Amino acid sequence: MKMLTVFEKTGAARFIGHLDLQRAMQRALRRSGLPVRYSQGFNPHLLLSFASPLSVGTEGLREIMEVPLSDDVAEASFLARLNVALPQGLKASLARALPDDAPAAMARLHAARYAIRPMASADTLLAAAPAFLAQETIPFLRKTKSGERMDDLRPLILALQAEDGALRATLSCHERGTAKPEQLVAALAAFSGLPAPRCRVTREGLLDRDMRPLEGL
């Protein structure tokens, strides 16, 4: 079996990178004494998988990892034992036992929902959101390992609205096309004739193709 685990990454923990997050989770799982499954071979390691890496500096409220187990564990027990071992800023909120052959969360991921709070020019940017979204195309420069190329951001913005001083955005997040909050903010700022501001970004949830929370299956 495996345990789908929903967790939050907040406060100072938002500044740790994905590799450090993996190490923190591995240490916590070892300390917890849970029957986690290790890889075979000369250097066994925990077989964790995460639905989507979180950018450094971004908070996550409903991040998802899957933990393969070598023995059955009650969901409530798994959650309690993991939380005792987790460092400050990381907290598990839900555990769901799944069979090993259940589709991986990473494979089901389609979109991510964000709250983006600009640190400057917030009123102007939020007011520009409807006209910005009404554009048929939104060109932006995509940087990849092989170089730079122009791309269209518009199909990757699935929803965008201004609410309570923040941009509420649902962005595409899968292998065929991914948009990042910083790309959205840069394009919106350019549309508004402003420099791109620093933002406080919170990823509020991960969604499947039907726009349902990924943990809901």
Side-chain angles (χ1 to χ4, degrees):
M1 66 177 289
K2 61 182 176 180
M3 196 70 75
L4 183 148
T5 308
V6 179
F7 67 96
E8 63 182 41
K9 179 187 175 191
T10 59
R14 73 182 188 273
F15 294 112
I16 66 174
H18 186 62
L19 289 178
D20 288 328
L21 172 64
Q22 288 179 307
R23 295 186 189 103
M25 286 296 186
Q26 289 169 352
R27 286 194 296 267
L29 285 163
R30 284 194 291 266
R31 287 195 298 265
S32 72
L34 288 162
V36 293
R37 193 186 310 163
Y38 287 80
S39 65
Q40 302 296 315
F42 181 75
N43 187 26
H45 59 275
L46 290 175
L47 296 169
L48 296 181
S49 64
F50 293 79
S52 175
L54 193 63
S55 299
V56 174
T58 299
E59 289 188 317
L61 300 185
R62 299 194 70 78
E63 298 301 296
I64 292 179
M65 70 174 178
E66 292 177 307
V67 184
L69 300 172
S70 60
D71 201 357
D72 291 348
V73 179
E75 294 169 349
S77 176
F78 178 95
L79 197 62
R81 292 167 67 180
L82 177 59
N83 273 325
V84 167
L86 283 173
Q88 187 173 3
L90 298 176
K91 182 180 179 181
S93 59
L94 181 146
R96 175 164 293 172
L98 300 174
D100 284 331
D101 59 358
M106 185 184 300
R108 295 186 293 109
L109 178 62
H110 185 75
R113 184 176 292 130
Y114 294 90
I116 306 168
R117 295 177 172 82
M119 308 295 283
S121 307
D123 291 344
T124 301
L125 291 172
L126 269 59
F132 172 76
L133 194 62
Q135 299 177 101
E136 290 187 4
T137 62
I138 302 175
F140 80 106
L141 186 65
R142 183 184 293 279
K143 298 179 180 180
T144 68
K145 293 181 180 179
S146 58
E148 298 179 339
R149 60 181 173 84
M150 293 304 297
D151 208 339
D152 184 7
L153 191 63
R154 183 60 190 88
L156 307 179
I157 304 173
L158 306 181
L160 179 67
Q161 61 183 9
E163 181 182 311
D164 297 330
L167 293 165
R168 303 282 176 175
T170 302
L171 304 179
S172 179
C173 185
H174 53 78
E175 61 181 11
R176 294 177 301 282
T178 294
K180 298 179 180 179
E182 56 267 30
Q183 294 167 338
L184 170 62
V185 171
L188 177 58
F191 176 80
S192 305
L194 298 168
R198 292 179 59 194
C199 298
R200 181 72 177 262
V201 181
T202 302
R203 189 157 73 180
E204 298 182 322
L206 300 171
L207 309 173
D208 66 14
R209 183 175 294 277
D210 296 319
M211 296 294 113
R212 299 175 303 188
L214 200 59
E215 65 270 23
L217 300 180

